[in-house]
Amino acid sequence: MSPAATSAAPLAETLRRAEQARRAGRWDDAAAAYRTAWESTGDPRWAGELGLLELSLRRYRDAAEHLRRALEGGDALASGASARLRGALQQAAQEVVEVAIVVGKPEAELFMDGRRVGQGFVTYVVYVEPGSHEARATLQGHEDGVGRFEAQRGDKLPLGLALKEKPPAPRPAQPAVAPRAAAAAPGPAAGGTAIGPAIRVGGLALASAGVLVGAGFAIGSAVKDGEAESLREELLATGGERACHERASVDDARCPELEDAIRSRDALGLVALVSVVASGVVGAAALSSFWWAPAPERGGVRVVPQATARGGGVRIEGAW
């Protein structure tokens, strides 16, 4: 038996057990089997099935995480599955806190409450339970970037983490020499470059907020697209290709519903695109400030995200 057949057999058995457990109402067993299939293959289809079961079990944080992972691999999903998973993700996200984190140095490793999130990215979307949390970015030779926040159910928070290089080790003392008479070179004005951290952290926080807004509108656009597609299929089944064009079918109440769904889809998609592009511009400007506005030797800037289900923002504290 070939290695491919050997590996396919356990997967088929795992999926068979998952489906049997789900039909029998043993959702915990079904979720455990789909988790095994997802972790062993990385197939987004099994992440989606796992997320749907976790939503039914009210494991909202895990559900949101796995549903999002499934939607990121949308090309592998069956037709119509994306809209169903997006609706489930919206439902799960309402029960937890959604945090968009932008890390000043993508090579840094990101942790949330001590749990490793990942490495090698600028932007992360993380789901946590309501309450107090700490995000920490670590990189050798740099001081940790730390962000602490408290949030309620349904909140969406932007968070920027800046990492500052550690000062070099002090050099051994040199013998004193007679000073030369020379004009002192002007040093940097006190706090003259402290605006750099403010620009970076504030800009990254705004960029992460744009990512969240764009993602929300993108999900809304996809849901409207699913509604429009369902209405179009119903009308084609009853009225044929001329549905909503012939006089008899124009009066069908579903025709204006279809037009409204299409308009809403297009509008939401446009807003999502603008939000993502704008956040990319702001994020790029913030990251470029590492070159044209380096951090000062002392001092610092502290970012405090302020967000609730009713609105929010970012407060930047420091001196410059």
Side-chain angles (χ1 to χ4, degrees), residues 41-121:
T41 66
D43 192 319
R45 294 176 296 174
W46 316 139
E49 296 296 340
L50 174 58
L52 292 172
L53 285 165
E54 289 169 334
L55 180 61
S56 300
L57 291 166
R58 299 184 180 181
R59 299 173 187 168
Y60 298 116
R61 193 203 68 80
D62 291 341
E65 181 175 313
H66 291 121
L67 289 167
R68 185 177 187 87
R69 293 294 296 274
L71 288 167
E72 288 173 353
D75 293 342
L77 300 176
S79 177
S82 294
R84 183 166 65 106
L85 294 179
R86 285 191 180 93
L89 176 57
Q90 282 186 311
Q91 185 178 347
Q94 292 173 357
E95 303 296 331
V96 293
V97 180
E98 184 176 352
V99 189
I101 304 173
V102 177
V103 182
K105 293 185 177 294
E107 62 270 30
E109 195 170 12
L110 178 64
F111 296 85
M112 175 63 74
D113 298 327
R115 179 176 65 92
R116 186 180 187 278
V117 176
Q119 185 178 16
F121 297 94

Side-chain angles (χ1 to χ4, degrees), residues 228-314:
E229 187 63 27
S230 297
L231 286 169
R232 185 181 292 108
E233 290 177 358
E234 292 178 9
L235 287 165
L236 286 173
T238 57
E241 295 292 337
R242 299 296 296 172
C244 294
H245 296 284
E246 299 291 348
R247 182 172 182 179
S249 61
V250 168
D251 295 331
D252 193 320
R254 292 172 296 181
C255 291
E257 291 181 14
L258 175 60
E259 294 178 1
D260 180 67
I262 292 174
R263 283 195 298 268
S264 298
R265 178 201 64 190
D266 294 342
L268 290 169
L270 178 61
V271 174
L273 177 61
V274 171
S275 299
V276 172
V277 171
S279 65
V281 172
V282 173
L287 291 174
S288 69
S289 68
F290 281 103
W291 287 270
W292 54 264
E297 291 297 325
R298 296 182 179 177
V301 178
R302 179 169 174 260
V303 172
V304 182
Q306 297 175 311
T308 68
R310 296 167 296 282
V314 176

Side-chain angles (χ1 to χ4, degrees), residues 102-245:
V102 177
V103 182
K105 293 185 177 294
E107 62 270 30
E109 195 170 12
L110 178 64
F111 296 85
M112 175 63 74
D113 298 327
R115 179 176 65 92
R116 186 180 187 278
V117 176
Q119 185 178 16
F121 297 94
V122 174
T123 303
Y124 299 82
V125 177
V126 181
Y127 298 95
V128 296
E129 299 290 346
S132 300
H133 300 276
E134 178 187 273
R136 181 179 296 270
T138 64
L139 180 62
Q140 186 175 6
H142 294 72
E143 297 178 1
D144 291 354
V146 181
R148 298 181 179 90
F149 60 92
E150 185 168 350
Q152 301 177 7
R153 182 173 66 90
D155 287 351
K156 298 179 183 293
L157 301 181
L159 185 64
L161 300 180
L163 293 88
K164 180 182 176 182
E165 290 188 15
K166 292 181 179 179
R171 296 179 179 179
Q174 299 293 328
V177 296
R180 296 181 180 180
T193 58
I195 190 65
I199 293 173
R200 283 190 285 277
V201 179
L204 293 174
L206 289 174
S208 61
V211 171
L212 278 176
V213 171
F217 281 113
I219 290 174
S221 175
V223 171
K224 284 295 181 182
D225 184 58
E227 294 177 2
E229 187 63 27
S230 297
L231 286 169
R232 185 181 292 108
E233 290 177 358
E234 292 178 9
L235 287 165
L236 286 173
T238 57
E241 295 292 337
R242 299 296 296 172
C244 294
H245 296 284

